[in-house]
Amino acid sequence: MSVAQAARHNGKADAAAEFDAIVIGAGVSGLYQLYKLRELGLKVRVFETGTGIGGTWYWNRYPGARFDSESYSYGYSFSPELLEEWNWAERFAPQPETERYLNYVADKFDLRRDIQFNSRVAAAHYQEETRRWNITLEDGRRYGTRFLITAIGVLSAPTMPRIPGVETFRGQSCHTHYWPKEPVEFAGKRVAVIGTGATAIQAITEIAKTAGHLTVFQRTPNWAAPLHNAKIADEEMREIRGSYPEIFAICNDSPGCFIHKPDPRATHEVTQEEREAFWEKLYAEPGFGIWQGNFRDILTDRAANALISEFVARKIRQRVKDPAMAEKLIPKNHGFGTRRVPLESGYYEVYNQPNVGLVDINETPIERVTPKGIKTSDAEYEFDLIIYATGFDAITGSFDRIDIRGIDGVALKDKWQNGPQTYLGVLVEGFPNLLMVMGPHAGLGNFPRAAEYSVDWVTGLIRFAHDRGVTRVEATATGVAEWTEHVLVTGEGLLMNEIDSWMTGVNRNVEGKQTRKIMRYSGGHPAFREHCDAVAADAYRKLALA
Ligand SMILES: Cc1cc2nc3c(=O)[nH]c(=O)nc-3n(C[C@H](O)[C@H](O)[C@H](O)COP(=O)(O)OP(=O)(O)OC[C@H]3O[C@@H](n4cnc5c(N)ncnc54)[C@H](O)[C@@H]3O)c2cc1C
């Protein structure tokens, strides 16, 4: 839309712009939500900030970006035809392949005609008189809808570090989320990467292959384990295709929707030799097995967690030649698996290369970004390129960036000041007709498996309301209190919840996000679905319907 058009629209609600449902976000979740709402015959519009399909896989184009989930466990399961048609080329698809896949889905189901790109939703205000939501885009265009559905992602609000001088740098710089669409050359360049989370680990490994010199600025090392990616040959793809029902059944049965299920044994139930052999096997296998398919107690029992941490530390020491460097790369403030485990393809060996250096910013903090590079407490580094791999204001960040107001103008951000309060991760008391796909207090994991369920549940509720002339659906205060309490209780005893990470809502770069909160449901997806199914089967009596 041109500036002139925007100005014409500014502040004006267009009568033609009234919808039954508005979905925010055109990623994995939003695309499927659109598909399902069309099946109900509703008038739907999707708003998306980006200029293309794909959400995470549209934005994150940095070198090395790829799944840590097995591709064939990540794709949509809802369409047998789609499963039949799509061939995954790699076990863990790189970003371009996934972006192609999601575009293929959008074309196949003719989704594009209801998606409005370049359209960031800035505000959403509920009107009690009409039981409808007023939506305002960043450019001032306004729309109305009965149901507002957020599919805005858990990792879609990128954060920059709080370092002075970022804007003064004269070279090229960018956050990994906002990676340019044009190729970026590293050959002969002096490159800085700030951050050592999952994204950084992928990017560093790739950039180190060609950069003139790469300097990594690390605050918190993470426990990474090998990905073991490989191409999928035609024959293997045929086998995968034949096994889709089993693959999805395993995912649905596992706590994190991955194809890896926890081993039923406890760490101390086996001998040391058996333990070592099991861990060697997991370390040599592709994917999240070492995290999700490990002994059942490694994320709840401190002694068990210490043992697996020591095993992985040994691996790092074997792979990094310089013992002092290896020690810097071994996490000391959290145990293995208590943060999201990044999977890597030669990350540790990068630090054996002469063109790679590591700066521990706990020892020598970054003081500022300068026009030429980065100044720490003991040195000034010059760079051609600075890459901010500094992650996201996770889970609630994308909500906080929209002015969402419910009954009596109450802001969602204020309501959640002390942590999210939801019913089933979908509804919020005081915000009728707002439905969140994969909202806070839903379970995380292999995302599309959980997102498909979430979309189906939201669609079921809208169908129910639509069929009965119900124009207002809201969580009750009791329902929210019960669910929030249940989420807290199921999180007790999990070592993950004792650690600062994006999964516990901590981001040192975001004001007000310094203390841990319970952000996600950790009772496992099978239990989560049981709760949600029971509510639907009971005709949604636990909700306030009118
Ligand atoms: C680098 C990276 C690697 C990952 N790897 C894996 C993996 O291996 N396995 C896995 O299961 N998950 C992975 N994830 C998580 C990933 O986010 C999910 O798998 C999935 O893509 C989320 O889909 P979504 O549609 O819910 O959200 P997103 O893909 O985040 O899409 C949300 C969309 O909403 C849009 N949006 C947000 N706010 C607004 C607004 N106000 N107005 C308009 N549009 C808005 C955004 O622009 C975005 O396009 C990864 C995430 C990242 C960042």
Side-chain angles (χ1 to χ4, degrees):
M1 174 181 244
S2 69
V3 176
Q5 280 171 315
R8 239 176 289 130
H9 279 275
N10 206 13
K12 284 187 199 154
D14 181 346
E18 290 295 320
F19 295 92
D20 298 318
I22 280 179
V23 179
I24 317 178
V28 170
S29 305
L31 292 179
Y32 182 49
Q33 185 64 76
L34 170 59
Y35 172 84
K36 290 302 285 183
L37 292 174
R38 278 230 199 115
E39 278 186 341
L40 296 186
L42 300 188
K43 188 179 173 199
V44 189
R45 172 71 52 90
V46 176
F47 292 119
E48 166 58 54
T49 305
T51 59
I53 298 281
T56 290
W57 308 107
Y58 161 84
W59 292 106
N60 294 270
R61 297 163 186 275
Y62 61 84
R66 68 170 67 245
F67 289 150
D68 287 341
S69 294
E70 285 73 4
S71 313
Y72 42 87
S73 77
Y74 188 96
Y76 291 113
S77 69
F78 71 88
S79 161
E81 223 179 80
L82 176 63
L83 290 168
E84 194 53 45
E85 288 167 10
W86 184 260
N87 290 325
W88 290 103
E90 296 187 43
R91 276 196 197 145
F92 301 92
Q95 175 273 331
E97 188 178 355
T98 312
E99 192 188 15
R100 260 196 317 277
Y101 170 73
L102 293 172
N103 275 280
Y104 181 84
V105 172
D107 291 335
K108 178 174 173 60
F109 299 105
D110 188 22
L111 299 178
R112 260 175 238 281
R113 67 183 153 89
D114 289 325
I115 304 176
Q116 192 172 311
F117 296 105
N118 241 323
S119 297
R120 194 183 84 77
V121 174
H125 294 173
Y126 177 70
Q127 308 299 317
E128 189 65 280
E129 316 76 64
T130 54
R131 299 180 173 179
R132 295 177 68 84
W133 283 86
N134 288 343
I135 308 301
T136 310
L137 301 189
E138 199 171 34
D139 62 16
R141 283 176 287 173
R142 286 170 51 193
Y143 303 85
T145 181
R146 168 76 64 218
F147 292 106
L148 173 63
I149 301 163
T150 58
I152 52 184
V154 292
L155 296 172
S156 62
T159 48
M160 288 290 284
R162 293 203 266 194
I163 306 172
V166 165
E167 65 297 339
T168 65
F169 181 58
R170 285 205 218 103
Q172 192 183 355
S173 65
C174 74
H175 190 286
T176 44
H177 175 84
Y178 291 120
W179 200 264
K181 289 179 180 157
E182 310 72 44
V184 176
E185 275 299 318
F186 302 103
K189 290 199 179 148
R190 298 160 302 173
V191 184
V193 173
I194 302 181
T196 48
T199 283
I201 283 174
Q202 292 181 333
I204 288 165
T205 310
E206 207 50 40
I207 293 167
K209 290 177 183 163
T210 52
H213 194 274
L214 170 63
T215 309
V216 176
F217 291 84
Q218 172 183 275
R219 183 174 60 197
T220 311
N222 278 287
W223 296 100
L227 175 70
H228 298 299
N229 186 31
K231 298 265 185 247
I232 299 179
D234 293 350
E235 182 51 34
E236 191 185 351
M237 192 61 228
R238 264 193 295 279
E239 280 167 28
I240 289 169
R241 193 167 277 126
S243 327
Y244 272 132
E246 293 88 69
I247 291 171
F248 294 134
I250 295 172
C251 291
N252 277 346
D253 209 26
S254 77
C257 293
F258 290 101
I259 59 171
H260 309 278
K261 278 198 217 173
D263 190 287
R265 296 169 298 172
T267 306
H268 287 93
E269 278 170 21
V270 301
T271 64
Q272 192 190 336
E273 291 71 36
E274 282 172 309
R275 202 155 54 220
E276 286 286 314
F278 181 52
W279 285 342
E280 286 292 350
K281 176 175 156 299
L282 291 178
Y283 201 79
E285 282 176 357
F288 273 140
I290 192 143
W291 186 32
Q292 297 288 317
N294 214 313
F295 294 120
R296 65 173 153 82
D297 58 350
I298 63 149
L299 299 179
T300 50
D301 181 297
R302 274 173 228 287
N305 188 262
L307 284 177
I308 179 68
S309 301
E310 190 41 47
F311 173 85
V312 182
R314 243 183 292 140
K315 290 287 177 197
I316 298 172
R317 290 189 188 106
Q318 283 162 11
R319 292 174 59 184
V320 178
K321 287 189 190 140
D322 172 2
M325 176 70 89
E327 287 318 305
K328 283 190 174 163
L329 293 167
I330 295 171
K332 305 292 189 301
N333 66 353
H334 67 284
F336 177 81
T338 59
R339 291 170 136 216
R340 197 274 203 193
V341 175
L343 296 183
E344 46 82 28
S345 308
Y347 174 66
Y348 291 108
E349 287 73 11
V350 157
Y351 294 95
N352 298 332
Q353 293 179 203
N355 67 331
V356 178
L358 182 76
V359 176
D360 180 342
I361 63 169
N362 298 303
E363 288 171 5
T364 55
I366 295 179
E367 288 182 348
R368 61 180 303 110
V369 173
T370 66
K372 287 185 173 172
I374 293 175
K375 182 176 176 338
T376 66
S377 58
D378 82 335
E380 207 161 341
Y381 300 83
E382 292 192 3
F383 295 113
D384 302 304
L385 182 55
I386 299 179
I387 297 165
Y388 296 97
T390 42
F392 300 91
D393 183 0
I395 303 179
T396 48
S398 46
F399 287 89
D400 289 350
R401 292 178 186 198
I402 306 173
D403 175 25
I404 301 176
R405 289 176 189 270
I407 297 169
D408 296 332
V410 171
L412 186 63
K413 195 173 175 174
D414 293 340
K415 178 130 185 140
W416 285 356
Q417 202 172 21
N418 299 318
Q421 294 171 38
T422 77
Y423 187 56
L424 307 176
V426 178
L427 295 122
V428 187
E429 190 236 343
F431 294 75
N433 298 348
L434 169 69
L435 302 168
M436 303 178 293
V437 174
M438 297 302 289
H441 285 177
L444 296 177
N446 188 22
F447 209 87
R449 299 283 66 75
E452 274 185 340
Y453 179 81
S454 187
V455 165
D456 287 343
W457 199 89
V458 164
T459 310
L461 174 56
I462 293 178
R463 182 190 297 115
F464 182 92
H466 196 246
D467 290 352
R468 286 160 183 76
V470 169
T471 52
R472 192 182 186 284
V473 301
E474 189 189 356
T476 64
T478 319
V480 169
E482 278 173 13
W483 181 251
T484 306
E485 177 62 16
H486 177 64
V487 171
L488 296 182
V489 169
T490 47
E492 277 169 16
L494 284 183
L495 299 176
M496 274 180 138
N497 288 338
E498 299 173 9
I499 301 296
D500 289 355
S501 79
W502 66 259
M503 291 212 190
T504 52
V506 176
N507 184 326
R508 287 201 237 167
N509 295 317
V510 181
E511 194 76 45
K513 302 231 166 156
Q514 322 300 315
T515 50
R516 273 176 236 143
K517 298 186 178 79
I518 302 296
M519 303 293 278
R520 68 197 193 291
Y521 178 68
S522 34
H525 283 274
F528 179 75
R529 287 194 301 269
E530 241 175 68
H531 275 279
C532 298
D533 286 349
V535 173
D538 187 37
Y540 304 97
R541 263 183 274 272
K542 287 251 167 114
L543 303 182
L545 304 177

